[in-house]
Amino acid sequence: MTVYPLPAADLKGEGMTSQRARDRLAASLREGGIADPRVIDVIRNTPRHHFIDQALHSRAYENTALPIGHGQTISQPWVVARMTEALLERVDGSRGVPQKVLEIGTGSGYQAVVLAALVPELFTVERIEELLRQARRRFRQLGLTNVRTRHDDGKLGWADEAPFDAIMLTAAGDTIPSRILDQLSPTGVLVAPVGSPSQQTLIRMRGDGQGDFIQEELGPVSFVPLLGGIG
Ligand code: SAH
């Protein structure tokens, strides 16, 4: 697991405060039913305040979604934890490590950084160029070397790099785009919010290796919409 070095400014004060706040957040995730200790550790060690505007820093470790500009949000930490945990769980219930993972909807880059601490290769696609530019800068600042980014319509997936062992969508469509499903390995796992803006369910699909995908509903969630084209 990766422990991200904090920039020097954080070592004087802010970092200490946020470490306590992160410990509290980790405890609340545990109380909220997050069971995979790897996921809790990564969230405890990830400086979420780096992914949001300075004006919101004091709220960075609240268990809530926050605005990141362009009408988008950084997801609630509990939801990030739940989706990450769901992606890492094998069919037999044991905890695995998918090798090659695709995220659709880079946004702030926070979910990508959480995933990149846990898996060898993370590919992430964002349709809003300015958000992607900021996320790339954060990946660089954190010294990440296993994240590749792409400015594109994520509904198309990332065909050149397919198949993926795991795919996560962090924006909600009415259905899971077929181009994305086509890029999932036969034993892969996909986690995505699906539904209308007012009613969404977190869906997990896991391949049985024989060409069939078993679908489960993991509970209600609230995400920004999966849009078409690039911004
Ligand atoms: N994972 C992000 C969540 C950001 S919100 C984080 O941790 O901050 C969802 C993101 O999905 C937004 O940035 C939005 O622009 C993006 N998005 C929506 N539709 C998309 C599409 N078709 N392709 C790529 N990104 C998309």
Side-chain angles (χ1 to χ4, degrees):
M1 193 197 67
T2 313
V3 175
Y4 295 111
L6 286 171
D10 269 8
L11 300 174
K12 320 187 213 99
E14 187 188 9
M16 300 300 288
T17 315
S18 58
Q19 189 57 57
R20 275 197 298 277
R22 281 181 236 175
D23 289 345
R24 273 199 302 276
L25 175 60
S28 86
L29 295 178
R30 234 179 271 111
E31 284 157 22
I34 303 302
D36 190 329
R38 299 172 301 175
V39 175
I40 292 180
D41 277 354
V42 170
I43 290 189
R44 188 198 282 110
N45 289 317
T46 304
R48 190 169 181 252
H49 62 277
H50 283 311
F51 297 83
I52 56 181
D53 195 80
Q54 187 136 24
L56 291 168
H57 275 190
S58 63
R59 302 189 58 198
Y61 300 96
E62 289 176 16
N63 194 11
T64 176
L66 293 167
I68 55 170
H70 302 267
Q72 308 302 321
T73 53
I74 180 171
S75 309
Q76 182 194 356
W78 186 87
V79 173
V80 171
R82 184 69 195 104
M83 289 175 75
T84 307
E85 175 175 83
L87 204 76
L88 300 181
E89 196 185 351
R90 292 207 191 94
V91 178
D92 66 4
S94 68
R95 292 168 183 152
V97 179
Q99 297 297 299
K100 199 169 179 182
V101 179
L102 174 68
E103 178 198 30
I104 305 299
T106 317
S108 68
Y110 178 70
Q111 171 75 73
V113 166
V114 168
L115 283 169
L118 292 160
V119 306
E121 281 187 283
L122 196 261
F123 297 78
T124 183
V125 184
E126 170 59 53
R127 62 180 290 280
I128 299 178
E129 193 164 21
E130 173 62 14
L131 287 178
L132 190 59
R133 204 180 54 76
Q134 292 173 17
R136 281 185 183 131
R137 201 185 56 230
R138 293 171 183 136
F139 300 153
R140 266 200 309 276
Q141 284 170 347
L142 293 171
L144 289 173
T145 54
N146 62 337
V147 179
R148 285 186 47 206
T149 61
R150 183 183 175 96
H151 177 223
D152 203 355
D153 177 359
K155 285 187 182 182
L156 307 174
W158 192 326
D160 292 350
E161 291 293 342
F164 295 96
D165 303 306
I167 301 179
M168 181 186 287
L169 279 74
T170 67
D174 296 340
T175 55
I176 296 162
S178 59
R179 300 280 282 272
I180 294 181
L181 267 180
D182 288 347
Q183 295 175 24
L184 189 61
S185 100
T187 54
V189 51
L190 177 145
V191 173
V194 175
S196 65
S198 60
Q199 201 180 7
Q200 298 165 13
T201 307
L202 189 62
I203 299 287
R204 176 165 63 184
M205 296 180 75
R206 288 190 288 194
D208 65 2
Q210 317 291 313
D212 282 330
F213 286 87
I214 297 132
Q215 185 169 318
E216 300 157 88
E217 292 190 2
L218 303 180
V221 282
S222 179
F223 276 85
V224 296
L226 183 68
L227 302 174
I230 54 175

